[in-house]
């Protein structure tokens, strides 16, 4: 029997679109009506809003707004990928518009008579409040089973908004996520499902919000399915939560950022110099001076995306999101298979960039892949086939004295393959190809190749050799790579690929938390 669901939202942002698509897959056989609250923006209303924010935030509001306006005016158009399928395409606005079982209705007010009439005529079984404004009873009670709300916060203690901020402000060890029945109070209805995201040593607001987006999907799926099946067991919220939080002021945001900021690892002068160099490279590129240089491809190398460490193998979650958003907006992002075939490298009005990962840590699945999908970016993951999906530590982690760090499972990697990501070899046991005997290297290459074919259906694998230095690969070992049927070989000793790509010496630039935003942009422009 077809299930009829109505969504109330104020913003068809990525997390809302993803929630709808995943719930449609989870429930099956659904009809959707998506009601988008889109109030008309009159000059008077805009001026009143600006005055209110100026009074609340003080003079900080002026440069904040100027920066926002400048960002909007200078934002480039996204690169058109054409017919090429990219990770995350299924959540794009155009993909939602193509769903035959879904209708999107944008209205100036969810509670105006025409909106109420549309919801009434749709005769929904269940309503979903996803990033919606406050709903009135006349609306949330229309669906046969009522309406449920996704609240990214622990109830009843953290009602209101925004996600993660006030939990961090009050020093909580984890950030809650709740699904509850909508009633006339604000986030006060009976609970249907709860989850949480643990706070790591270096967690910040944006990084935790990204984790909440992923937890929220499973909670909404669970709660909606239970409601539609008549199996939901709503629980009254515990006593407490008398205070409802509102959006923090700019001063409060700055205070929390300072409190959470990691200590600077470089002097102010050095950081300023790097920022100036990066800004100069950006200005030169936008002025068209890059056309005078030979065309180049930058291959980025990551290992981990996590907030539990800050070392030369780890990028922060929010940091990685900023970087990938910049790549999506300003670069031509290409799969690694396209890079190794570039003979010669074509000229491009945008920097050509590819994203790769080595080793196979679990955070690649939990954090990196969702951020890449959010930005519709291709990426390749080079995994040590004998260490992933096991309790074995990586040799470099043992030398650093690190405790066990979780790795991806084969099921997770198979799921990532269906999302459109590429997988390649990082040998079996993460060996130093130059130091090990020839028989060991040959066996490692063959076993890893066969494992990738068996587990992930990868038939022309690429090798990203472990450690990646010039001293870790020799000419005779490279011949073994070719004999084993690998289509290319990637290093990790730095540098960019200029004019053409040496298929068996593809250069990559390692990225970690030490790269500021400007330094990262300079690297993407081909000036590491």
């Amino acid at each position: 029997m077809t299930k009829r669901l109505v969504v109330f939202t104020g913003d068809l942002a990525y997390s809302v679109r993803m929630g709808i698509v995943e719930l449609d897959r989870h429930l099956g056989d659904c009809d959707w009506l998506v009601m988008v609250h889109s109030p008309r923006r009159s000059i008077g209303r805009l001026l009143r809003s600006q005055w209110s924010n100026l009074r609340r935030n003080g003079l900080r509001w002026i440069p904040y707004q100027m920066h926002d306006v400048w960002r909007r005016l200078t934002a480039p158009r996204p690169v058109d990928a054409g017919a090429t399928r990219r990770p995350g395409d299924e959540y794009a606005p155009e993909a939602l518009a193509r769903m035959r079982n879904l209708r999107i209705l944008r209205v100036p007010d969810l509670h105006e008579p025409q909106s109420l009439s549309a919801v009434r005529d749709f005769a929904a079984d269940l309503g979903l409040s996803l990033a919606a404004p406050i709903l009135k009873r006349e609306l949330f009670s229309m669906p046969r089973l009522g309406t449920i709300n996704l609240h990214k916060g622990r109830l009843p203690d953290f009602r209101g908004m925004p996600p993660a901020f006030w939990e961090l402000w009050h020093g909580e060890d984890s950030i809650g996520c709740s699904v509850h029945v909508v009633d006339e109070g604000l986030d006060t209805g009976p609970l249907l499902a709860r989850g949480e995201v643990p706070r790591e040593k270096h967690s910040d607001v944006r990084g935790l919000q990204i984790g909440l987006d992923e937890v929220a999907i499973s909670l909404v799926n669970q709660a909606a399915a239970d409601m539609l099946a008549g199996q939901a067991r709503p629980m009254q919220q515990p006593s407490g939560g008398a205070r409802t939080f509102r959006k923090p002021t700019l001063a409060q945001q700055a205070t929390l950022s300072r409190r959470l900021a990691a200590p600077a690892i470089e002097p102010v002068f050095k950081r300023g110099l790097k920022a100036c160099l990066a800004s100069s490279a950006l200005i030169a590129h936008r002025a068209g001076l890059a056309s005078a240089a030979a065309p180049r491809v930058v291959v980025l190398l990551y290992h981990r995306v996590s907030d539990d460490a800050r070392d030369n193998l780890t990028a922060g979650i929010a940091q990685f999101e900023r970087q990938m958003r910049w790549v999506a907006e300003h670069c031509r992002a290409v799969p690694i298979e396209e890079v190794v075939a570039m003979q010669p490298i074509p000229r491009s009005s945008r920097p050509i960039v590819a994203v790769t990962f080595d080793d196979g840590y679990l955070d690649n699945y939990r954090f990196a892949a969702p951020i890449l999908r959010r930005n519709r970016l291709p990426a390749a993951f080079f995994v040590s086939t004998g260490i992933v999906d096991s309790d074995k530590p990586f040799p470099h982690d043992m030398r650093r004295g690190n405790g066990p760090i979780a790795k991806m499972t084969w099921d997770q990697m198979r799921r990532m393959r269906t999302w459109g990501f590429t997988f390649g070899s990082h040998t079996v046991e993460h060996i130093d190809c130059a130091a090990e005997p020839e028989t060991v290297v040959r066996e490692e290459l063959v076993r890893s190749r066969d494992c990738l074919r068996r587990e992930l259906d990868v038939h022309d694998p690429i090798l990203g050799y472990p450690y990646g230095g010039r001293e870790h690969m020799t000419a005779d070992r490279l011949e073994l790579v070719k004999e084993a049927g690998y289509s290319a070989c990637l290093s990790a000793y730095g540098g960019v690929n200029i004019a053409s790509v040496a298929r068996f010496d593809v250069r990559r630039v390692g990225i970690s938390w030490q790269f500021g935003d400007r330094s990262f942009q300079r690297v993407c422009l081909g000036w590491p």
Side-chain angles (χ1 to χ4, degrees), residues 84 86-87 297-301 332-342 352-358 377-382 417 420-425 458 460-464 487-491 497 501-503 505-509:
T84 305
R86 295 194 169 222
V297 174
V298 176
V299 182
L300 305 173
L301 166 60
R332 175 186 163 196
V334 299
I336 194 63
E337 298 93 332
E338 186 174 329
V339 171
V340 301
M342 287 182 175
I352 303 175
V353 174
V355 181
T356 67
F357 281 80
D358 278 1
L377 294 175
F381 297 81
F382 297 91
R417 281 279 284 167
F421 293 115
T422 297
F423 281 85
S425 171
V458 176
D460 295 303
I462 297 172
L463 174 71
S487 60
C489 184
L490 280 58
S491 65
N497 305 278
V501 176
R503 181 181 284 268
D505 185 21
V506 181
R507 299 185 177 189
R508 296 187 289 173
V509 181

Side-chain angles (χ1 to χ4, degrees), residues 400-522:
R400 290 167 179 241
N402 292 337
I405 302 177
K407 278 82 67 179
M408 292 187 286
T409 67
W410 288 112
D411 282 343
Q412 290 166 340
M413 288 183 276
R414 278 188 280 272
R415 195 169 299 127
M416 290 170 67
R417 281 279 284 167
T418 67
W419 295 342
F421 293 115
T422 297
F423 281 85
S425 171
H426 204 47
T427 71
V428 178
E429 301 290 343
H430 200 281
I431 64 166
D432 180 342
C433 291
E436 295 291 340
E438 179 179 322
T439 54
V440 172
V441 176
R442 179 180 283 109
E443 181 186 8
E444 287 261 332
L445 293 171
V446 171
R447 285 175 55 203
S448 183
R449 176 202 67 193
D450 291 347
C451 185
L452 289 169
R453 288 177 177 174
R454 181 177 64 253
E455 298 286 353
L456 302 178
D457 197 31
V458 176
H459 291 281
D460 295 303
I462 297 172
L463 174 71
Y465 67 89
Y467 305 107
R470 295 179 186 272
E471 69 275 19
H472 301 120
M473 179 60 70
T474 63
D476 60 326
R477 297 297 188 265
L478 201 56
E479 287 303 313
L480 297 181
V481 174
K482 298 174 182 178
E483 290 173 14
Y486 288 88
S487 60
C489 184
L490 280 58
S491 65
Y493 54 81
V496 300
N497 305 278
I498 300 175
S500 64
V501 176
R503 181 181 284 268
F504 285 89
D505 185 21
V506 181
R507 299 185 177 189
R508 296 187 289 173
V509 181
I511 304 294
S512 70
W513 79 280
Q514 296 162 325
F515 280 74
D517 291 348
R518 290 295 188 185
S519 294
F520 174 80
Q521 293 164 16
R522 188 189 75 241

Side-chain angles (χ1 to χ4, degrees), residues 47-125:
L47 291 175
R48 286 192 296 273
S49 174
Q50 290 295 321
W51 175 244
S52 174
N53 278 300
L54 182 61
R55 291 179 60 188
R56 186 164 186 263
N57 293 285
L59 294 178
R60 292 172 183 263
W61 183 252
I62 297 174
Y64 174 82
Q65 277 297 93
M66 291 176 62
H67 178 266
D68 184 63
V69 170
W70 176 254
R71 181 182 58 82
R72 292 172 185 270
L73 290 175
T74 58
R77 291 183 179 180
V79 176
D80 183 6
T84 305
R85 178 179 178 267
R86 295 194 169 222
D89 278 355
E90 62 269 40
Y91 305 134
E94 54 268 29
L96 207 66
R98 287 195 299 266
M99 291 176 61
R100 295 186 177 183
N101 60 335
L102 180 143
R103 180 164 66 104
I104 299 173
L105 187 59
R106 297 182 181 275
V107 297
D109 186 349
L110 289 174
H111 297 95
E112 67 176 6
Q114 295 89 332
S115 303
L116 296 173
S117 178
V119 176
R120 187 180 301 109
D121 292 344
F122 183 68
D125 295 307

Side-chain angles (χ1 to χ4, degrees), residues 106-281:
R106 297 182 181 275
V107 297
D109 186 349
L110 289 174
H111 297 95
E112 67 176 6
Q114 295 89 332
S115 303
L116 296 173
S117 178
V119 176
R120 187 180 301 109
D121 292 344
F122 183 68
D125 295 307
L126 182 66
L128 300 173
S129 174
L130 304 176
I134 296 174
L135 306 180
K136 299 178 182 178
R137 176 171 288 278
E138 59 182 341
L139 184 61
F140 70 69
S141 63
M142 275 190 185
R144 178 175 61 87
L145 298 171
T147 298
I148 63 176
N149 177 58
L150 169 64
H151 176 73
K152 294 175 182 176
R154 182 182 294 109
L155 294 176
D157 300 314
F158 292 96
R159 293 176 177 142
M161 61 177 296
F165 182 90
W166 293 110
E167 288 93 328
L168 284 178
W169 183 273
H170 287 89
E172 296 291 311
D173 292 330
S174 63
I175 311 301
C177 191
S178 313
V179 180
H180 66 89
V181 177
V182 176
D183 63 11
E184 290 179 321
L186 181 60
D187 302 326
T188 58
L191 293 166
L192 295 167
R194 287 186 286 186
E196 63 179 27
V197 174
R199 177 180 178 177
E200 302 291 353
K201 181 178 180 181
H202 303 283
S203 291
D204 59 17
V205 173
R206 184 58 193 151
L208 288 167
Q209 288 175 344
I210 292 168
L212 284 172
D213 284 348
E214 300 302 311
V215 170
I217 295 296
S218 60
L219 292 181
V220 172
N221 284 352
Q222 173 192 331
D226 288 346
M227 288 288 286
L228 292 165
Q231 298 174 351
R233 298 292 182 268
M235 300 178 297
Q236 292 300 319
Q237 294 188 28
S239 59
R243 181 178 177 185
T244 297
F245 294 93
R246 61 182 298 194
K247 184 177 180 179
T249 65
L250 294 179
Q252 289 171 322
Q253 294 176 43
T255 297
L256 184 60
S257 294
R258 286 193 299 269
R259 192 191 304 172
L260 299 176
I265 60 172
E266 293 180 331
V268 173
F269 173 77
K270 189 173 182 180
R271 283 184 282 139
L273 180 60
K274 284 187 174 182
C276 288
L277 289 173
S279 297
S280 299

Side-chain angles (χ1 to χ4, degrees), residues 13-26:
Y14 175 84
S15 59
V16 175
R17 300 194 304 268
M18 179 174 65
I20 293 170
V21 171
E22 290 301 321
L23 189 54
D24 187 66
R25 289 175 178 169
H26 181 73

